[in-house]
Amino acid sequence: MRDRIYFNEVVTRDGFQMESRFVPTDQKVALINELSRCGFAQIEVTSFTSAKAIPMLADAAEVMDRITRVPGVAYTVLIPNLKGAERAMQARPPDEFNLVMSVSETHNLANLRMSRERSFSALQEVIERFGASVPMNVSLSTSFGCPMEGAVPYQEVLRWSQRFVDLGVRGLTICDTTGMAHPDQVDQLCRLLQERLPEVRLTLHFHNPRGMGLANVLAATKAGITHFDGSLGGLGGCPYAPGASGNISSEDAIHMLNAMGYDTGIDLVALLRVARGLPLLVGHEVSGQVVKSGQISDLHPVSQSVRDLLATAG
Ligand code: COA
Ligand code: ZN
């Protein structure tokens, strides 16, 4: 058996924020409860963002209050500013905060309506206020490229990472917000960050608009990364990033890693059962492949004519 790989399921946050049809609170709670029994290390339940910016997640507090928490699963929420953090603490507090800002100035302005410096100060305030009671992770959006600015230098990702590490955060999530990363870039950035920031937990967050998502997961695992975000069915994307579309599908990534002998801790049969219900929940087809094609271990029956040939062959 190879390394243990840890998955954070983000479908009800990154996945749902991009959906146009509101998924009722009851159905969100039921989905999270089902996902909780599949073996995920972590579930990103929702975000405490402005309801004007992300109407789909306006019920964040109610969802946090109503889900059944399974021991061993860490429940996290996305937080863009102090108001979001205060709202999250007034509901049933999560096991971790996932603070968010972009490495690209333009995307930060588009998504969070403030400069990177202002975001940093806001998040610093969140860490100072709540860091003693809730562990902190920071998601750095557009780390592999910005759809409006283009290439993002590794040094910029390192600079923002270092600033948050200096504030004592436990983890960083390096996000390919619009699927611009390619495997060589992933290999280089993952190695650089691990070398310079050995004390911080690194999670990789990939999207798949250009079909490079699973190749990037592979490159990251080969570079020593053991934590990934994934989204059931491959739903997801940032509504404020032009051209954004689905995350890597959790079940496809887990299926690949299982096949290669990694221990993901996931009950894939149970996860695929949950994935099968997703199109009905969101009202459209989803991009996950394994749920349509079956696992590589699912064999097809042999027809009688081929049986006859087998019997006479050799
Ligand atoms: N939760 C709920 N409401 C919030 C809030 C939060 N975290 N932060 C601000 N608000 C409210 C304010 O109270 C204010 O309400 P009012 O109009 O009733 O007075 C209103 O939103 C505007 O506040 P302001 O501070 O000016 O925010 P803004 O309009 O500049 O938006 C963000 C800033 C960060 C709140 C908003 O851009 C946002 O939520 N973005 C999230 C985008 C996202 O989740 N993208 C995908 C994930 S990467
Ligand atoms: Zn994302």
Side-chain angles (χ1 to χ4, degrees), residues 161-206:
S161 298
Q162 184 70 62
R163 289 184 76 180
F164 282 109
V165 168
D166 292 346
L167 296 181
V169 302
R170 141 163 111 181
L172 291 169
T173 302
I174 307 302
C175 303
D176 183 22
T177 308
T178 59
M180 293 173 72
H182 62 72
D184 281 353
Q185 185 187 9
V186 169
D187 178 73
Q188 287 159 12
L189 187 55
C190 289
R191 288 183 197 279
L192 177 72
L193 292 172
Q194 288 174 109
E195 187 193 305
R196 299 291 181 83
L197 307 168
E199 68 278 27
V200 76
R201 180 194 68 194
L202 285 178
T203 301
L204 270 287
H205 176 106
F206 293 119

Side-chain angles (χ1 to χ4, degrees), residues 17 48-50 52-54 81 83-84 87 111-113:
Q17 74 189 10
F48 285 89
T49 44
S50 141
K52 276 187 212 130
I54 310 284
N81 60 8
K83 170 142 194 194
R87 287 177 56 218
N111 190 38
L112 301 171
R113 306 180 55 76

Side-chain angles (χ1 to χ4, degrees), residues 79-306:
I79 303 286
N81 60 8
L82 189 58
K83 170 142 194 194
E86 287 166 347
R87 287 177 56 218
M89 293 308 279
Q90 280 156 16
R92 235 167 108 213
D95 298 312
E96 185 176 279
F97 273 1
N98 184 21
L99 311 179
V100 65
M101 66 167 281
S102 293
V103 179
S104 125
E105 183 76 6
T106 317
H107 182 255
N108 209 68
L109 288 167
N111 190 38
L112 301 171
R113 306 180 55 76
M114 51 190 149
S115 68
R116 290 175 299 175
E117 258 336 306
R118 257 193 71 204
S119 267
F120 184 80
S121 310
L123 299 180
Q124 180 171 14
E125 213 178 331
V126 172
I127 294 167
E128 283 164 5
R129 283 271 299 278
F130 300 109
S133 32
V134 186
M136 299 284 163
N137 183 81
V138 179
S139 276
L140 292 173
S141 303
T142 63
S143 284
F144 293 93
C146 166
M148 294 160 289
E149 286 182 18
V152 169
Y154 296 161
Q155 288 307 321
E156 271 298 275
V157 182
L158 186 59
R159 184 167 75 87
W160 289 102
S161 298
Q162 184 70 62
R163 289 184 76 180
F164 282 109
V165 168
D166 292 346
L167 296 181
V169 302
R170 141 163 111 181
L172 291 169
T173 302
I174 307 302
C175 303
D176 183 22
T177 308
T178 59
M180 293 173 72
H182 62 72
D184 281 353
Q185 185 187 9
V186 169
D187 178 73
Q188 287 159 12
L189 187 55
C190 289
R191 288 183 197 279
L192 177 72
L193 292 172
Q194 288 174 109
E195 187 193 305
R196 299 291 181 83
L197 307 168
E199 68 278 27
V200 76
R201 180 194 68 194
L202 285 178
T203 301
L204 270 287
H205 176 106
F206 293 119
H207 283 255
N208 196 39
R210 298 179 177 83
M212 295 190 278
L214 288 196
N216 288 333
V217 171
L218 189 59
T221 54
K222 297 287 180 193
I225 299 295
T226 54
H227 289 73
F228 292 93
D229 286 356
S231 178
L232 194 72
L235 291 187
C238 173
Y240 300 99
S245 65
N247 288 61
I248 56 159
S249 137
S250 308
E251 66 276 20
D252 289 1
I254 289 160
H255 174 265
M256 177 183 81
L257 292 167
N258 282 358
M260 294 174 70
Y262 287 97
D263 172 14
T264 58
I266 302 285
D267 178 346
L268 190 55
V269 172
L271 184 61
L272 289 169
R273 205 179 304 125
V274 182
R276 249 171 245 126
L278 195 59
L280 192 63
L281 199 62
V282 293
H284 59 81
E285 278 301 305
V286 300
S287 65
Q289 296 293 303
V290 175
V291 81
K292 293 167 195 149
S293 309
Q295 297 193 52
I296 52 174
S297 52
D298 297 342
L299 301 183
H300 294 267
V302 180
S303 69
Q304 190 54 52
S305 68
V306 174

